[in-house]
Amino acid sequence: MLDRRQVLAMLGTTALATLAPTALFAAASIKPDDASALLVIDVQNCFLPGGSLAVKEGEQVVPVINKMAKAFANVVMTQDWHTPGHVSFASVHSGKKPFETIDLPYGKQVLWPDHCVQGTDGAALSKDLAIPHAELIIRKGFHKDVDSYSAFLEADGKTSTGLAGYLKGRKIKRVFVAGLATDFCVAWTALDARKAGFEVYVVEDACRGIDTQGSLAKAWADMAKAGVKRIQSADIAVSA
Ligand code: VGL
Ligand code: ZN
């Protein structure tokens, strides 16, 4: 790696005049302030290796999130928190298998293996998360007949989890979203955060996706269209 002095030495004065230093040294350029919150989405045993709906490389987000969380005064975590026999479980729809879809009164629903059942070890947050200052854990998906990928709004599109009210009550303007899974709970949370009027960043290397039927590419496209900013954890300044 070249350091700043070496790069400057390599550049002529003309090049220096035309190249903004910010373009050269973009790393760690975002500094979370008191109006920023990190939303850590569903880092739960069911989505980690050995879990019933394990996300590929899901465990790799944990150290990234732990490090990044140090830069945030405000951290909120979410927990997928389903009833036994939840409507999103393939096991309750006869003849249906996980990852197939069905039509429910509120729209299309992907069916999943049973996961994150209330009070089970699978629903517990990863024991490797090290964010003691996290100030709120919001549970979602606890209505038996309605799923909730989003931390803001259930899948019926109208039942609020209360998170937008909480964040606004705490004068939060910007949210940074990380966790599992990029193409479901992370993306739906980011999109609803935009709809609720927040500035939204998704930290790509602090997320992993499920990617079923093109869901990952679609999620990034939808997020880009909605004005969600796609960043890397190295873009966030963590002071020593
Ligand atoms: C999730 C599928 C089902 C997620 C939750 O956390 O992304 N995905 N339930
Ligand atoms: Zn779920």
Side-chain angles (χ1 to χ4, degrees):
M1 272 284 276
L2 295 171
D3 64 18
R4 175 186 281 260
R5 187 185 47 75
Q6 286 170 304
V7 174
L8 293 178
M10 283 161 58
L11 290 166
T13 39
T14 349
L16 262 186
T18 52
L19 266 178
T22 47
L24 274 172
F25 303 102
S29 59
I30 302 169
K31 213 169 171 40
D33 59 9
D34 285 346
S36 305
L38 175 63
L39 307 183
V40 178
I41 305 299
D42 297 3
V43 183
Q44 293 166 265
N45 295 331
C46 275
F47 300 120
L48 293 167
S52 59
L53 181 41
V55 179
K56 190 163 177 269
E57 301 179 350
E59 77 286 1
Q60 293 184 18
V61 306
V62 175
V64 181
I65 289 171
N66 285 344
K67 181 175 177 203
M68 189 169 58
K70 295 186 201 299
F72 287 84
N74 300 292
V75 180
V76 171
M77 310 209 264
T78 68
Q79 246 179 331
D80 212 34
W81 198 250
H82 299 311
T83 60
H86 190 258
V87 72
S88 72
F89 297 171
S91 61
V92 304
H93 302 277
S94 60
K96 290 286 178 185
K97 288 200 277 298
F99 306 100
E100 292 181 356
T101 57
I102 53 161
D103 290 311
L104 289 181
Y106 56 77
K108 207 188 206 26
Q109 172 72 50
V110 181
L111 296 174
W112 305 106
D114 288 24
H115 65 280
C116 297
V117 173
Q118 298 167 4
T120 62
D121 186 56
L125 293 168
S126 166
K127 64 171 179 17
D128 298 323
L129 281 173
I131 318 177
H133 61 294
E135 65 201 34
L136 174 71
I137 297 172
I138 192 143
R139 290 171 169 170
K140 60 184 181 59
F142 50 77
H143 288 127
K144 193 171 190 184
D145 296 323
V146 189
D147 206 358
S148 190
Y149 297 143
S150 164
F152 290 91
L153 215 52
E154 297 188 15
D156 62 4
K158 49 178 194 253
T159 307
S160 170
T161 64
L163 181 57
Y166 172 81
L167 293 172
K168 285 176 186 178
R170 299 269 299 108
K171 306 221 174 336
I172 301 296
K173 304 251 178 306
R174 275 169 291 286
V175 296
F176 293 73
V177 192
L180 305 170
T182 319
D183 38 351
F184 290 93
C185 294
V186 168
W188 287 51
T189 295
L191 292 169
D192 281 348
R194 287 293 296 148
K195 286 189 198 137
F198 296 98
E199 194 181 315
V200 182
Y201 299 80
V202 168
V203 189
E204 184 171 13
D205 59 319
C207 302
R208 288 296 185 278
I210 293 172
D211 203 9
T212 173
Q213 299 161 42
S215 56
L216 190 58
K218 182 179 185 312
W220 282 118
D222 290 347
M223 289 192 281
K225 199 166 144 204
V228 171
K229 296 178 180 123
R230 180 176 183 167
I231 63 166
Q232 308 300 318
S233 61
D235 297 330
I236 297 172
V238 184
S239 36

